[in-house]
Amino acid sequence: QVQLVESGGGLVQPGGSLRLACAASGFTVEHSVIAWFRQAPGKDSEGVACIYRRYNGAYYVDAVADRFNISSDTAKNTVYLQIHSLKPEDTAVYYCASRKSPFCAGYHSGGDMAYWGSGTLVTVSS
């Protein structure tokens, strides 16, 4: 059974860091395209990062490229999203998803995703 489970969210002060995890089962992240999305209160979901470990590809939306880092651990079959210098506007539910297509191009629209996790809440507040 294919499953994606996010963890690592919580309440963090502005300027802090978090590492979110997306644990996969039923398939291997090494041969899959995995993306992170977030949905802030009252806003549409947006794609923030994508990774295709097989070809060492990692992609970010411009707005977060200097603070977010996506990586994967094939031994743990888990994809991570490290977030630095957190801002209140980073407050959102963060989701990971696996893509049907074997590439990241266009991931940020959220289309062509095969499976989604249930999300983990990140709250940035003092």
Side-chain angles (χ1 to χ4, degrees):
Q1 181 181 0
V2 173
Q3 194 172 17
L4 293 167
V5 179
E6 302 93 338
S7 62
L11 175 62
V12 186
Q13 291 188 342
S17 298
L18 271 181
R19 189 177 76 160
L20 307 181
C22 171
S25 57
F27 71 100
T28 58
V29 300
E30 182 176 11
H31 298 102
S32 302
V33 175
I34 306 294
W36 281 95
F37 295 81
R38 66 183 180 182
Q39 186 166 21
K43 295 188 176 181
D44 293 334
S45 175
E46 63 170 341
V48 294
C50 182
I51 188 168
Y52 191 12
R53 171 68 180 263
R54 184 176 182 182
Y55 296 114
N56 291 317
Y59 305 87
Y60 305 90
V61 65
D62 288 345
V64 305
D66 60 339
R67 299 186 297 115
F68 286 29
N69 183 67
I70 189 170
S71 63
S72 63
D73 184 331
T74 55
K76 296 182 178 180
N77 209 33
T78 297
V79 173
Y80 299 98
L81 184 68
Q82 180 78 48
I83 310 174
H84 300 286
S85 302
L86 278 155
K87 306 174 181 181
E89 51 264 41
D90 293 320
T91 295
V93 178
Y94 285 72
Y95 302 87
C96 63
S98 63
R99 202 166 194 216
K100 298 175 186 176
S101 303
F103 49 81
C104 279
Y107 78 93
H108 42 77
S109 69
D112 198 40
M113 293 300 164
Y115 300 97
W116 291 82
S118 58
T120 186
L121 175 63
V122 173
T123 303
V124 185
S125 175
S126 56

